[in-house]
Amino acid sequence: MPKPATSRGPGTPAPTTTGAPAPETTETPAPAGASAPAGASAPTGTPVPPSAHPPEAAHVPGAGPGYRALFRVREFRFVFVAHLFSLLGVVVSELALTVLVYDLTRSPLLSSLTFALGFLPHLLGGTLLAGLADRLPPRRILVVCDLVCAACVVLMTVPATPVAALLALRCAIAVVSPVFHGTRAATLADVLGEGDLFVLGRSLLRIVSQSALLAGFAAGGVLLTVVPPRGALVVTAATFLASALLLRLGTVRRPARGAGSAGGLSGTWAVLRDRRVRALMVMFWVPPFFAVVPEALAAPYADETGVSTAALGLLMCALPVGTITGELLAGSLLPAAARSRIVVPLAVTGVLPYLLYAVEPGVVLAAAALFLAGATGAYTLGLDAWFVAAVPEERRGRAMTLMTAGMMTVQGLGMAGAGLAAEFVPVHTVVAGTGVVGTLCLLAAAAELRAAGATEGRDGADRHVPHG
């Protein structure tokens, strides 16, 4: 099952500050239908409408579907490298901050709370700040978010910063993180178009995020053997600054896509009123809520079955490895039509492998079940295509922000719920029960998705999202 990078955290957009893009000018943007040569950048100070820069891969003879086609687009190359820097910063900062809080307090509760604060505040930020993704120029949002995130991390490195302030800074980063994610997701549709390249671009960023979960903590652990936690946080600040510089220099300046859109809760409700968009969001949210249960209970399950620490590592790796494999195969081998057809079948069967836990399987069988569950995450490629087609462009940033915030929030709730349930029943029963309850909930979500599509079709809507 797909899972975004762990509480990735650029901060909130703000008025222009040092290092941010130049203020908007009053020059007239290019006409909506205009195009620029492949690899060309907009003149300084000239906002470029999204449609004015079609993906450069479209101009390359023989360019076809596949992940390699993404790197023919100059702007995407900058976005991708910036993503790598951000991921490095996130993983190192999470590990370093957790160790730092524990060193200062010797409290396991406060140390674990550092991780929890990376998930739960997303709901607040995604609800209240989502409108910024459409009301401000996207490049400005992305750059300033990275700068604010770097500033928060710098404050964490100050020895005089108390533990309460460290946790507050961590929470603040998580609150505004969905704005960055939503803006970047919406901007990908501008950079790559709304077709197959957009789907593959989203998929590749998810694959990199999952890979970071596998390798990042090991790299962070090695780093912490060389430098103290605050020194590792300095490295994190540098990676966010590098990301900001890449996004500032390598991405095109575009105007706000919905400058006159409603802000706050009224704008959020305007997005959620659309039944199809709402149903698509639910289909994004339900699978991660149940998918994280075995990961959250991996350590208790290892203790329950008496396996080694190495076996615990296998259980923790199986789900993301399955997710990476499923996305790579679907993105590389399947055409867009086939990826659309497999959305519902894969989504509704995604947690069925967890039923194997009912017989208290050994490590190998449990890891196989997790791998299979992760591989079904390939459904997200088709779902991404449906989502970008269903959301009006002027609301796309807000919708992407809400969707991302919801995915991060439900993961935190799923982990908390799994731990609570395991206080009363055996771990293997909790995971197996997740397979049953999760499948029923996914069937209900799929039924609503189909109904929403059928209703919109009868109403004569001009946007059509195919259903699996």
Side-chain angles (χ1 to χ4, degrees):
M1 287 295 179
K3 179 173 154 185
T6 54
S7 62
R8 178 257 181 259
T12 184
T16 303
T17 58
T18 302
E24 296 301 311
T25 69
T26 57
E27 296 181 37
T28 304
S35 62
S41 298
T44 302
T46 304
V48 179
S51 59
H53 282 270
E56 293 146 33
H59 302 286
V60 179
Y67 291 106
R68 271 192 285 185
L70 295 168
F71 294 99
R72 295 188 179 99
V73 183
R74 175 183 178 276
E75 197 173 357
F76 178 79
R77 294 196 294 269
F78 278 86
V79 172
F80 180 79
V81 177
H83 182 58
L84 293 179
F85 275 108
S86 291
L87 280 175
L88 176 62
V90 169
V91 173
V92 173
S93 68
E94 287 189 339
L95 184 58
L97 188 58
T98 300
V99 173
L100 177 61
V101 170
Y102 184 75
D103 286 346
L104 293 173
T105 65
R106 313 310 296 179
S107 169
L109 174 61
L110 289 176
S111 180
S112 62
L113 183 61
T114 306
F115 270 111
L117 289 176
F119 285 94
L120 301 181
H122 277 71
L123 180 61
L124 178 64
T127 301
L128 298 181
L129 303 178
L132 294 175
D134 289 326
R135 298 171 68 190
L136 295 175
R139 188 177 69 176
R140 179 185 297 177
I141 295 175
L142 295 175
V143 172
V144 176
C145 282
D146 267 332
L147 291 175
V148 173
C149 187
C152 289
V153 175
V154 167
L155 290 175
M156 293 177 184
T157 66
V158 177
T161 305
V163 172
L166 292 175
L167 296 178
L169 289 168
R170 180 77 172 93
C171 188
I173 290 172
V175 165
V176 298
S177 173
V179 179
F180 182 94
H181 282 297
T183 302
R184 186 182 62 191
T187 302
L188 273 185
D190 301 334
V191 173
L192 300 172
E194 298 178 6
D196 208 37
L197 280 183
F198 167 78
V199 172
L200 293 177
R202 289 267 293 163
S203 173
L204 184 60
L205 295 186
R206 281 195 299 266
I207 289 170
V208 171
S209 297
Q210 292 286 351
S211 301
L213 293 176
L214 296 174
F217 286 118
V222 172
L223 180 63
L224 287 173
T225 65
V226 180
V227 297
R230 293 190 194 274
L233 288 173
V234 172
V235 173
T236 294
T239 63
F240 283 122
L241 290 173
S243 175
L245 184 63
L246 286 166
L247 292 171
R248 177 63 182 86
L249 298 179
T251 60
V252 172
R253 185 184 184 193
R254 297 177 174 88
R257 59 175 46 84
S261 60
L265 294 177
S266 60
T268 298
W269 176 240
V271 171
L272 296 178
R273 268 201 309 266
D274 186 320
R275 186 183 181 188
R276 172 169 288 169
V277 172
R278 189 171 64 245
L280 288 165
M281 283 192 179
V282 169
M283 187 58 81
F284 273 110
W285 294 340
V286 175
F289 177 80
F290 295 102
V292 297
V293 170
E295 286 186 306
L297 299 179
Y301 184 74
D303 182 64
E304 184 179 278
T305 55
V307 300
S308 65
T309 304
L312 173 60
L314 178 62
L315 291 176
M316 294 294 290
C317 291
L319 194 70
V321 168
T323 302
I324 293 169
T325 303
E327 291 222 24
L328 279 174
L329 292 177
S332 302
L333 303 179
L334 298 182
R339 295 198 296 264
S340 182
R341 286 194 294 271
I342 65 175
V343 170
V344 172
L346 288 185
V348 300
T349 58
V351 294
L352 275 179
Y354 294 175
L355 293 175
L356 188 60
Y357 273 74
V359 297
E360 292 188 77
V363 173
V364 174
L365 286 179
L370 295 176
F371 178 87
L372 289 175
T376 65
Y379 80 90
T380 53
L381 279 80
L383 197 60
D384 275 334
W386 296 1
F387 194 76
V388 76
V391 179
E393 183 180 341
E394 66 273 12
R395 295 178 180 172
R396 188 174 293 155
R398 184 190 296 269
M400 291 288 189
T401 299
L402 289 172
M403 185 262 284
T404 302
M407 289 184 69
M408 293 298 288
T409 301
V410 298
Q411 288 179 82
L413 294 175
M415 291 178 178
L420 179 62
E423 290 289 329
F424 302 97
V425 296
V427 173
H428 72 279
T429 304
V430 174
V431 179
T434 297
V436 176
V437 177
T439 300
L440 293 175
C441 291
L442 284 163
L443 286 169
E448 170 60 17
L449 185 61
R450 290 181 182 276
T455 300
E456 193 162 346
R458 287 195 299 269
D459 291 341
D462 59 359
R463 297 191 315 273
H464 176 66
V465 179
H467 293 277

